[in-house]
Amino acid sequence: MNISEFIPQEITKEIENTSFTWQTPSNIALVKYWGKTNPQIPKNASISFTLNNCHTITTVDFQKKSKSELDATSYTQIDFDLFFEGKKKEEFKPKIAEFFKRVQAYCPYIFDYKMTINSENSFPHSSGIASSASGLSAIAMCLMSLEKQLNPALENEFINKKASFLARLGSGSASRSIEGPLVVWGKNSSVEDSSDLFGVKFNKKVAAIFNNYQDAILLVDKGEKQVSSTVGHNLMNNHAYAKVRFEDANKNLENMAMILQNGDVKAFVSLVESEALTLHAMMMTSHPYFILMKPNTLKIIDKIWQYRVENESNICFTLDAGANVHVLYPENEKESVNAFIAKELAVFCQNNQYILDNVGLGAKQL
Ligand code: ADP
């Protein structure tokens, strides 16, 4: 592993006060990441669609500390304030404080500034729709914008790669929330430049059927997750089926790489659903064990399966580590499937709520 390339060699500019705003997406994994070693190294490779409407918008104001402030803290204190939807949000701070601690060796300039973070999400946080991915990738992009000002020679390719590397240290799946439409994170033989350290764009030619794929996120349970990601990943340590799962996931990624290129949408449906159910099977067979699906999750799956047969549709579902359902379908079925969701699936959602989304291209500076 070569992490030295992420340690800045030269800072050529002095910057006093500056500010950046980034919009970064959530993502939905097709082959799942579940199980890791320190520091945030995945046990298997994963691939996701980058989302478009589910995103975070974050502004970071950087205010240079005075020499006396820096002397008083021996240049080792990370100072930040966090506002979420306009209000201070103490509950979010521990994850972000941990993130800054993990990235400090790669972004030593953060000691020089007081950072004020203002953020908002377009979707419910902490409920399994990967707000940690969009939230942390947004801060990572703001850090890289500062680094670019400090060292204007940096190139965009490196900026995205390092942003993904940094974001990963905050939340593994955040490494897949910098670029789009498809991102692979984790070393896998079918994707030459793949790495455990950062996400890379899936750069093979993808069949037309997968362009602008649709994802309707059905909010079965908007409440906070029953099992945090950290606890969830730890369940894979000493899990009886872990070894087989990690091998299977890597094989599934190889198959998915083929499917995306050859356009075999039936194989896509089968692989995506099997991945989702395997993730939940891992949770049901861990110690302690959990059932994260709710009765309405199963009712929705049943309806999707019925609809697929009756309409010769390519609709399918996937799940993250929670009860909410992602309904995936090609763009050419958008009208009919959206009508089906409104008529038959919305009733199973909390307050009939769901989010219509589609595949997006990644982080945008605003
Ligand atoms: P999710 O499924 O939404 O990712 P997690 O519990 O894994 O749920 O992550 C939620 C955590 O992600 C929050 O406690 C907070 O630390 C972080 N987070 C969510 N949204 C943001 C945001 N906009 N900015 C910074 N951090 C965020």
Side-chain angles (χ1 to χ4, degrees), residues 24 26 55-58 82-85 89-97 117-139 170-171 173 224-225 227-230 320-321 324:
T24 54
S26 176
H55 60 242
T56 291
I57 295 179
T58 294
L82 175 75
F83 295 83
F84 182 71
E85 292 174 347
K89 187 86 170 168
E90 294 303 317
E91 309 96 274
F92 276 16
K93 279 185 93 173
K95 202 178 183 74
I96 297 165
I117 304 169
N118 269 285
S119 189
E120 61 190 44
N121 298 338
S122 65
F123 60 101
H125 64 82
S126 313
S127 65
I129 316 175
S131 67
S132 51
S134 54
L136 274 302
S137 58
I139 301 176
S171 158
S173 54
E224 300 217 351
K225 293 201 279 203
V227 183
S228 74
S229 305
T230 310
D320 263 346
N324 299 319

Side-chain angles (χ1 to χ4, degrees), residues 11-20 62 113 143-154 159 365:
I11 300 286
T12 53
K13 288 240 167 145
E14 283 276 327
I15 306 289
E16 283 300 315
N17 300 333
T18 187
S19 172
F20 306 98
F62 295 92
Y113 294 89
L143 291 182
M144 288 315 296
S145 290
L146 172 62
E147 189 168 322
K148 167 92 179 164
Q149 274 200 353
L150 293 167
N151 180 8
L154 291 187
I159 288 174
Q365 188 163 17

Side-chain angles (χ1 to χ4, degrees), residues 63-93:
Q63 200 181 4
K64 187 92 181 244
K65 293 180 192 168
S66 65
K67 171 120 185 18
S68 59
E69 280 174 306
L70 287 166
D71 286 341
T73 57
S74 314
Y75 295 76
T76 59
Q77 190 169 307
I78 300 168
D79 280 314
F80 74 99
D81 264 331
L82 175 75
F83 295 83
F84 182 71
E85 292 174 347
K87 297 200 194 91
K88 278 211 167 181
K89 187 86 170 168
E90 294 303 317
E91 309 96 274
F92 276 16
K93 279 185 93 173

Side-chain angles (χ1 to χ4, degrees), residues 62-318:
F62 295 92
Q63 200 181 4
K64 187 92 181 244
K65 293 180 192 168
S66 65
K67 171 120 185 18
S68 59
E69 280 174 306
L70 287 166
D71 286 341
T73 57
S74 314
Y75 295 76
T76 59
Q77 190 169 307
I78 300 168
D79 280 314
F80 74 99
D81 264 331
L82 175 75
F83 295 83
F84 182 71
E85 292 174 347
K87 297 200 194 91
K88 278 211 167 181
K89 187 86 170 168
E90 294 303 317
E91 309 96 274
F92 276 16
K93 279 185 93 173
K95 202 178 183 74
I96 297 165
E98 184 61 27
F99 164 75
F100 283 133
K101 232 162 72 191
R102 289 182 189 168
V103 304
Q104 65 187 32
Y106 309 104
C107 308
Y109 44 81
I110 58 176
F111 293 114
D112 298 344
Y113 294 89
K114 164 120 185 60
M115 296 175 279
T116 306
I117 304 169
N118 269 285
S119 189
E120 61 190 44
N121 298 338
S122 65
F123 60 101
H125 64 82
S126 313
S127 65
I129 316 175
S131 67
S132 51
S134 54
L136 274 302
S137 58
I139 301 176
M141 287 311 301
C142 291
L143 291 182
M144 288 315 296
S145 290
L146 172 62
E147 189 168 322
K148 167 92 179 164
Q149 274 200 353
L150 293 167
N151 180 8
L154 291 187
E155 294 194 352
N156 280 346
E157 196 183 330
F158 174 81
I159 288 174
N160 281 348
K161 185 168 156 186
K162 180 165 173 183
S164 173
F165 170 84
L166 298 175
R168 180 199 107 240
L169 291 167
S171 158
S173 54
S175 66
R176 300 190 310 243
S177 273
I178 302 290
E179 298 193 89
L182 282 155
V183 177
V184 174
W185 169 46
K187 190 83 203 126
N188 185 270
S189 57
S190 64
V191 181
E192 300 89 52
D193 53 349
S194 57
S195 167
D196 286 345
L197 298 177
F198 46 81
V200 295
K201 237 158 89 163
F202 181 70
N203 57 11
K204 306 252 165 57
K205 180 145 178 44
V206 169
I209 185 95
F210 297 117
N211 287 341
N212 198 27
Y213 226 67
Q214 305 291 303
D215 179 6
I217 303 152
L218 308 187
L219 302 171
V220 173
D221 184 0
K222 292 200 293 169
E224 300 217 351
K225 293 201 279 203
Q226 189 186 336
V227 183
S228 74
S229 305
T230 310
V231 171
H233 286 285
N234 285 340
L235 295 174
M236 289 307 280
N237 301 332
N238 307 316
H239 191 296
Y241 305 131
K243 187 166 175 285
V244 180
R245 162 60 194 156
F246 300 140
E247 286 166 7
D248 264 7
N250 278 320
K251 270 187 236 138
N252 284 346
L253 199 139
E254 284 168 30
N255 288 337
M256 183 56 83
M258 295 297 295
I259 291 167
L260 290 168
Q261 292 169 82
N262 67 23
D264 184 348
V265 71
K266 298 271 178 274
F268 176 86
V269 164
S270 153
L271 185 45
V272 165
E273 292 191 346
S274 165
E275 268 292 316
L277 294 178
T278 304
L279 172 72
H280 281 253
M282 289 299 107
M283 261 165 297
M284 288 189 221
T285 49
S286 57
H287 298 285
Y289 45 80
F290 296 94
I291 299 180
L292 301 185
M293 290 185 244
K294 299 279 183 210
N296 281 354
T297 312
L298 290 174
K299 286 184 188 150
I300 289 168
I301 291 175
D302 203 39
K303 284 271 181 195
I304 289 173
W305 284 351
Q306 210 181 324
Y307 179 91
R308 186 156 77 217
V309 173
E310 285 170 4
N311 297 279
E312 293 180 22
S313 163
N314 291 310
I315 188 173
C316 71
F317 73 86
T318 187

